[in-house]
Amino acid sequence: MPNVGVWLIGAQGSLASTVVLGARAIARKLGANGGLVTELPELAGLRLVALDDLAFGGWDLAPTGLVAHARALASEAAAVPESLVTRLEADLAAIEARVRPGFATGGGPAKRVRGTRAFLPRRESLAVAVERLGDDLDRFRHAERLDTVIVVNVASTEPPLELTRDHARLEGFRRLIQRDRRDRVAPSMDYAYAALARGFPYVNFTPSVGIAVPALHELGQKHHVLFYGSDGKTGETLVKTVLAPMFRCRNLEVLAWEGFNILGGGDGRVLADPRHKRSKVKSKSGVLGATLGYEPHTKVGIEYVPSLGNWKTAWDFIHFEGFLGTKMSVQFIWQGCDSILAAPLVLDLVRLTEFAQRTGEAGPMTHLACFFKDPLGVSVQSFPDQFSMLTDYVARRVKSGRKRPRTQ
Ligand SMILES: NC(=O)c1ccc[n+]([C@@H]2O[C@H](COP(=O)([O-])OP(=O)(O)OC[C@H]3O[C@@H](n4cnc5c(N)ncnc54)[C@H](O)[C@@H]3O)[C@@H](O)[C@H]2O)c1
């Protein structure tokens, strides 16, 4: 099997630390693989890279954080045993040493991290940053003798950025970079550009705009590279996209669906800023209308509760109408450990992206819609239907005789 690099944007965050901890734990047979979709029997026909064939690195805004987040996951969040982190600390520290300075301009409160000033290059233009970031990827690939590198964005959520005519075509977007238009190019776009321009697949697990720029799709197609996003579907929205099809199939009219989320951690702190929260609310809001065929009264609330740390609670109230107009309700409470829900999905996305690349695919990976709140180019929001898109893809790949793809 190939040696695969995983380059995490936001490599010192809670999610990134959990991804690395989880991959190393499973590789060393110290942890169970629950939550990994790629371990389901439905996907057994694909020959996927093993987790111990993954090498990690990434960009962040400060030189340290990965090991500390892994420790906090054990000591503060009680999400994993402390003994696991202790046993893997050397592995984690080696990956932390590989973290390179990211590109921060536009990151908002996310960049208020200790050590940032000394770590990040000063007054770097967009064009210079794109080259530096691309060089980091090439260097990682050569140093670790990797067959490919998959770039995954798990950095803090950026505020939304309105797309203009300049974002429509590659030529116009390149002009924005050359003219250093930081007001029009978010860091997540700069990273996506750097990855795609060097031929590395890019996956956006965050609600930041990232790959959702037509000019970047053109770049991906031009370089025959895979890309996909946005915003991993791990909690409240996942349950919504499972329940909403039930109401539709039973002809029960949803009158109102009110969701209230409280969370802690770095993500919660960033989302406490109303501009950044808008990106998350937007990616969480699009799912009901598409599944039900109409828009019920609905609101998504997100509040930061520091003491919750890595844990998140969602309370949803669904008011619906049945036979003879009788009104009823469903309520659910979802309490999840944020990074523990998300990390296996990041590993799934890496494995499935690497498989698609190895078998010659390029462009948007729409068969991965079930992993995202706002799947690029897919209007289907029902989770069972999205999961069928994935299993149909597996069946097609197995049937087309590519279940034993050549290695690069
Ligand atoms: N269940 C989940 O955990 C989940 C689900 C879906 C989406 N997400 C998204 O994943 C992202 C990460 O979540 P988290 O809990 O790990 O947050 P976190 O705050 O713990 O980590 C974010 C990391 O990104 C870094 N960062 C910020 N701006 C950066 C930049 N411009 N370049 C490079 N690094 C940068 C920060 O320094 C930090 O280390 C968030 O955008 C979140 O919305 C998480």
Side-chain angles (χ1 to χ4, degrees):
M1 283 305 264
N3 288 323
V4 177
V6 183
W7 194 261
L8 299 168
I9 310 172
Q12 314 266 30
S14 304
L15 177 48
S17 314
T18 314
V19 168
V20 169
L21 181 79
R24 295 313 302 149
I26 292 174
R28 290 181 180 271
K29 304 204 174 5
L30 298 172
N33 60 13
L36 274 167
V37 176
T38 44
E39 291 298 320
L40 283 172
E42 287 91 328
L43 277 79
L46 302 182
R47 204 162 157 256
L48 300 172
V49 65
L51 296 184
D52 49 358
D53 287 329
L54 303 181
F56 291 90
W59 292 300
D60 208 302
L61 306 184
T64 55
L66 196 153
V67 174
H69 265 116
R71 281 203 204 110
L73 204 65
S75 60
E76 291 165 30
V80 293
E82 296 216 41
S83 57
L84 182 68
V85 180
T86 308
R87 288 178 77 175
L88 293 171
E89 196 157 322
D91 285 16
L92 300 177
I95 295 165
E96 185 172 276
R98 248 184 241 143
V99 174
R100 305 278 306 141
F103 183 76
T105 313
K111 67 179 184 192
R112 286 181 216 132
V113 182
R114 194 176 298 167
T116 293
R117 281 181 69 126
F119 190 52
L120 300 180
R122 296 257 177 104
R123 284 187 282 279
E124 186 180 39
S125 72
L126 285 168
V128 169
V130 161
E131 289 309 311
R132 173 176 66 82
L133 300 170
D135 289 347
D136 283 344
L137 295 174
D138 282 335
R139 221 174 282 125
F140 177 53
R141 182 179 187 166
H142 288 125
E144 302 298 318
R145 295 198 176 85
L146 301 166
D147 295 294
T148 187
V149 178
I150 315 286
V151 178
V152 188
N153 183 14
V154 290
S156 311
T157 303
E158 295 164 358
L161 200 150
E162 204 184 316
L163 300 186
T164 63
R165 271 201 350 232
D166 294 326
H167 296 94
R169 298 298 310 271
L170 186 53
E171 214 185 308
F173 190 75
R174 280 194 172 132
R175 263 197 308 274
L176 292 179
I177 292 184
Q178 292 311 327
R179 292 178 184 164
D180 204 24
R181 293 293 304 270
R182 292 140 190 260
D183 55 328
R184 298 265 170 94
V185 181
S188 61
M189 296 180 192
D190 214 31
Y191 286 127
Y193 187 97
L196 298 175
R198 300 285 175 120
F200 297 112
Y202 170 94
V203 176
N204 184 15
F205 201 78
T206 80
S208 304
V209 63
I211 190 67
V213 176
L216 291 173
H217 300 181
E218 195 183 324
L219 180 66
Q221 302 283 8
K222 188 172 168 216
H223 290 267
H224 201 72
V225 194
L226 293 155
F227 52 87
Y228 211 57
S230 297
D231 202 6
K233 183 156 80 173
T234 60
E236 186 210 22
T237 312
L238 173 65
V239 182
K240 259 185 174 168
T241 59
V242 171
L243 280 183
M246 176 199 77
F247 287 104
R248 193 181 64 77
C249 294
R250 283 284 192 243
N251 196 16
L252 298 167
E253 186 187 352
V254 176
L255 304 168
W257 195 312
E258 312 299 320
F260 184 65
N261 298 268
I262 51 174
L263 77 161
D267 196 24
R269 185 174 52 78
V270 170
L271 296 180
D273 180 311
R275 291 182 318 126
H276 294 249
K277 190 192 289 186
R278 273 209 302 277
S279 295
K280 196 60 143 188
V281 169
K282 184 167 167 278
S283 75
K284 282 170 89 68
S285 299
V287 300
L288 288 179
T291 309
L292 298 170
Y294 54 89
E295 287 288 350
H297 183 276
T298 186
K299 195 164 167 59
V300 178
I302 304 175
E303 295 303 331
Y304 175 45
V305 179
S307 61
L308 283 178
N310 206 253
W311 290 79
K312 167 167 83 180
T313 297
W315 168 67
D316 276 43
F317 177 88
I318 307 146
H319 203 201
F320 66 96
E321 195 170 272
F323 195 43
L324 306 177
T326 300
K327 289 179 182 158
M328 295 163 266
S329 66
V330 174
Q331 297 178 48
F332 70 81
I333 295 174
W334 171 275
Q335 284 178 299
C337 186
D338 232 9
S339 315
I340 291 290
L341 289 165
L345 304 186
V346 171
L347 294 170
D348 287 328
L349 289 165
V350 166
R351 297 175 97 185
L352 290 164
T353 302
E354 189 281 325
F355 173 84
Q357 189 189 36
R358 195 168 8 114
T359 54
E361 294 175 38
M365 296 178 281
T366 49
H367 58 282
L368 301 182
C370 65
F371 290 96
F372 295 99
K373 295 189 189 78
D374 192 7
L376 200 66
V378 174
S379 55
V380 176
Q381 285 288 1
S382 151
F383 181 74
D385 292 348
Q386 290 177 336
F387 188 66
S388 296
M389 289 167 70
L390 179 61
T391 51
D392 289 350
Y393 166 86
V394 175
R396 280 197 310 276
R397 304 303 277 143
V398 171
K399 197 167 164 197
S400 69
R402 295 195 219 172
K403 70 180 168 188
R404 288 179 190 281
R406 63 191 186 283
T407 46
Q408 278 184 339

